[in-house]
């Protein structure tokens, strides 16, 4: 309405600038019927009309004890005309109240009040007769059709306006609070008191957030006489749509704008003036569908529906597909009914359905049929059962859900096996939920080495130093072996200590037997051989002097050499002249040990 | 039916903790002298009766006396039923390392990970995953043991070759050396999994800060069950690295290390 308010501001400014006449205002109330059945509703239209009224306030609604106020809407129209260079702005604001009598009898609608520029205006009280019987509104008399059609020049029957032309465009919704998916009918009506022509629709209203079905779209104007806001008008319905909100919250029906020429009768010749009128946007409160009691198989249908189903046959040969047809018919948001869910059938492949829809309107209610054709392809032989299909719907009148069920079907398939691998068929298993695997009953201790902190676990790390030690030993032993093979001196040397020990042991043994002569011989042999092995000399047959010179050459301590020679000499002496021994055999043995150790 | 696991409202948690503490006090006396196998069975009985808190206490006592994949697995289940996804993930990880080929453990670990509010965005390269699975045919303990054993035997063979000089020992050493390398690589591939730095967030919501204290700037908010790496430790605080590389300081008690050093 920004354009409208800008227009008001502009007009107010120009009014001030031109020192135009003071605003004059009429305030009236009018009921569309004076006799109403109990529980029926009638329209009370309160009209604020005047020249150069800017923002007129809303009238004060009196307390009405005898009536229920069911709702209200408002519409506004403005005419700006320039007559002899002077601008006149004609405002017409209508507040429409939908009322319903509470009791039978002669009831009075109290006066509405309006304060405007210090003056209080009051409407006249209206008397309504409420009866028990239903009082259907009298059908609007159809005017003969305009010979020129629509859009075009006005029909002859339209009254010619005298002076002040009044053109209104109203948008009304049959209800402003609905459930999601419930039908709301929006009607756009053009009212005029003057002849109009060149009519064109400038702005078509948009209906976002709804599924829309056209109920009526004027190809030509059918004028009828009617009273609106207490004044006589010619009225023509331009458009009527059924809206089905697809979301909860607020749905807005945008304004509709119509422009054309109005014929002003000011004297002998009529003059044509352009006009443009817009309807007020309508806001519809959309309640979400209740969660309580919502069936699992609810597919979005809101209204009164019946579900039927049929099979194209009861047998399939050679995997030939059958068709399952599910038909939803009735009144409501038929275009928003989703496909029903078929349970997987083992051995039958169900393809996604082909959907067809036809829409019908009767008595302003939208309805129709929506058909779902499911191709069923048997993948195995046998008798198959198609279980009942349940579809949930919502009934906005009762505010509750209901379910429709199709019958169960059976068919027999032959020769289907082998056409399609069986693996493609559904398993028939229905997953309901998942959870963790249950606790284990058996208590299995891990192997001791698996516990890093146990002594056995730590043992793992000993393999590495142990391996290195083993390798080191191997290296040393390998070197020893190679030297034994290659270096004779080394071999003799490494053998010598073992041999001398053996020699000494033998000598000790002989001594224990009391064989002194042999003892000295064995001791002598052991000592001489040891010296040979130790220094890699050929000692057998060497004289004492030779030994002395060889050892001196090998830089053995002279002290040790003399001791050794002394020992050999004493052994020889004891062997060959037993009585000449300088010391006992045991002393000799000790001496031999000492000398050998020195070496 | 799928159970709703997360109960983040403070009321039930506080009440649960109170019951938990009370129950653990009573159980401390009862469990003092029972064998781990006995405690395990009693824990299972408590679990099956729906007393998950009691089951956790019994399993705790059993774990202090024995190492068993089943113990960690069952305690993980009990934690999961209590809504403690983080502790459950830690236990499943411990069980997994002990028995990497147990399908149930892997399944529950993956299942619990789905329940985390913080989803992991890393998608494994299938080739890398196959290669890793091949490397981890052996569990970590066996791989370590065999690596040590083969190392020792390979060097022993080498030593015998040096001592005796027979070619057979040389070939044996080569074969054992190759076996050692295989086991060693396998054990090394487990290093990432068994890293002592691994930890799990065990608090419903955790704020990462730029320093070890409550007054530092907030860096990120993570949730229960997120697997992180502990990068640094200070008294009362640890520096954790979350997947993706970012890190921050949190209180030590808000994360649980999966493996002890």
């Amino acid at each position: 309405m920004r354009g409208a308010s800008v227009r008001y501001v502009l007009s107010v400014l120009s009014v001030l600038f031109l020192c135009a006449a003071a605003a004059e205002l009429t305030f009236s109330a009018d009921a569309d019927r004076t006799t109403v059945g109990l529980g029926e509703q009638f329209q009370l239209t309160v009209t604020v009309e005047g020249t150069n009224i800017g923002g007129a306030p809303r009238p004060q609604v009196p307390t009405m004890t005898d009536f229920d106020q069911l709702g209200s809407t408002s519409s506004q129209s403005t005419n700006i005309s320039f007559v002899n260079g002077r601008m006149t702005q004609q405002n017409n604001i209508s507040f429409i109240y939908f009322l319903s009598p509470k009791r039978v009898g002669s009831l009075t609608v109290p006066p509405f009040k309006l304060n405007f520029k210090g003056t209080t205006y009051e409407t006249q009280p209206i008397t309504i007769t409420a009866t028990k019987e239903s009082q259907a509104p009298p059908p609007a008399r159809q005017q003969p059709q305009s010979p020129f059609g629509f859009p075009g020049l006005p029909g002859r029957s339209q009254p010619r306006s005298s002076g002040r032309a009044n053109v209104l465009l109203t948008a009304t919704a049959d209800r402003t609070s609905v459930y999601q998916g419930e039908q709301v009918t929006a009607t756009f009506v053009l009212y005029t008191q003057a002849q109009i022509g060149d009519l064109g629709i400038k702005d078509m209203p948009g209906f976002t957030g709804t599924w829309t079905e056209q109920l009526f779209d004027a190809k030509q104007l059918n004028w009828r006489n009617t009273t609106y806001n207490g004044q006589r008008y010619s009225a023509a319905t331009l458009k009527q749509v059924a809206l089905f909100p697809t979301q909860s919250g607020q749905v807005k029906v945008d304004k509709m704008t119509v422009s054309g020429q109005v014929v002003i009768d000011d004297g002998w010749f009529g003059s044509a003036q352009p006009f443009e009128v817009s309807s007020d946007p309508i806001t519809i409160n959309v309640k979400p569908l209740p969660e309580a009691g919502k069936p699992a198989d609810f597919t979005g249908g809101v209204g009164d529906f019946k579900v039927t189903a049929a099979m194209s046959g009861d047998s399939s040969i050679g995997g030939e597909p059958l068709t399952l047809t599910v038909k939803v018919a009735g009144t409501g948001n038929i275009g928003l009914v989703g496909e029903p869910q078929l349970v997987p059938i083992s051995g039958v492949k169900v393809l996604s359905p082909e959907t067809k829809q036809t829409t019908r309107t009767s008595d302003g209610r939208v309805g129709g049929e929506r058909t779902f054709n499911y191709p069923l392809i048997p993948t195995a032989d046998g008798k198959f059962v198609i279980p009942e299909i349940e579809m949930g719907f919502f009934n906005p009148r009762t505010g509750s859900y209901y379910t429709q069920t199709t019958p169960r079907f059976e068919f027999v398939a032959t020769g289907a096996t082998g056409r399609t691998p069986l693996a493609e068929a559904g398993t028939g298993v229905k997953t309901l939920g998942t959870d963790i695997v249950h606790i284990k009953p058996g208590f299995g201790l891990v192997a001791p080495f698996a516990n890093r902190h146990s002594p056995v676990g730590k043992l793992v790390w000993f393999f590495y130093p142990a391996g290195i030690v083993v390798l080191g030993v191997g290296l040393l032993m390998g070197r020893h072996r190679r030297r034994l093979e290659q270096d004779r001196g080394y071999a003799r040397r490494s053998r010598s200590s073992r041999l001398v020990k053996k020699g000494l042991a033998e000598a000790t043994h002989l001594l224990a037997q009391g064989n002194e002569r042999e003892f000295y011989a064995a001791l002598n042999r052991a000592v001489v051989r040891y010296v040979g092995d130790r220094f890699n000399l050929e000692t057998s047959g060497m004289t004492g002097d030779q030994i002395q010179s060889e050892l001196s050459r090998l830089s053995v301590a002279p002290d040790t050499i003399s001791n050794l020679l002394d020992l050999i000499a004493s052994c020889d002496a004891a062997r060959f002249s037993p009585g000449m021994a300088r010391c006992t055999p045991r002393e000799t043995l000790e001496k031999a040990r000492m000398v050998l150790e020195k070496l | 039916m799928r159970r709703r696991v997360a109960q983040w409202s403070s009321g039930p948690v506080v009440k649960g903790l109170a019951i938990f503490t009370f129950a653990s006090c009573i159980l401390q006396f009862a469990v003092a002298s029972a064998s781990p196998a006995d405690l395990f069975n009693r824990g299972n009985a408590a679990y099956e009766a729906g007393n998950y808190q009691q089951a956790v206490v019994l399993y705790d006592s059993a774990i202090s006396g024995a190492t068993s994949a089943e113990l960690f697995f069952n305690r993980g289940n009990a934690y999961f039923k209590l809504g403690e996804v983080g502790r459950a993930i830690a236990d499943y990880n411990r069980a997994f390392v002990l028995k990497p080929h147990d399908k149930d453990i892997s399944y529950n670990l993956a299942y619990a990970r789905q329940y985390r509010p913080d989803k992991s965005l890393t998608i494994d390269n299938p080739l890398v995953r196959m290669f890793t699975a091949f490397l981890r045919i052996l569990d970590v303990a066996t791989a370590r043991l065999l690596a040590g054993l083969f190392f020792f035997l390979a060097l022993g063979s080498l030593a015998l070759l040096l001592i005796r000089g027979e070619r057979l020992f040389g070939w044996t050493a080569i074969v054992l050396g190759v076996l050692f390398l295989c086991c060693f690589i396998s054990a090394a591939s487990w290093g990432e999994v068994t890293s002592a730095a691994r930890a799990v967030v065990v608090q419903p919501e955790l704020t990462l800060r730029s320093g070890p204290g409550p007054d530092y700037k907030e860096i990120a908010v993570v949730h229960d069950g997120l697997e992180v790496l502990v990068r640094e430790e200070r008294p009362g605080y640890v520096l954790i690295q979350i997947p993706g590389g970012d890190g921050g300081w949190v209180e030590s008690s808000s994360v649980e290390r999966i493996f002890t050093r």
Side-chain angles (χ1 to χ4, degrees), chain A residues 179-180 287-295 298 394-395 399-401:
Chain A
Y179 280 109
Q180 183 181 335
K287 294 179 274 185
L289 295 178
E291 281 305 315
K294 193 177 211 168
F298 178 72
F394 181 73
N395 188 338
S400 60
Y401 291 95

Side-chain angles (χ1 to χ4, degrees), chain B residues 100-101 131-139 186 189-190 192-193:
Chain B
H101 302 301
F131 184 62
T132 318
F134 174 73
L135 283 179
R136 292 179 189 164
I137 285 174
L138 294 174
D139 67 88
S186 174
S189 81
W190 276 103
E192 187 192 4
V193 179

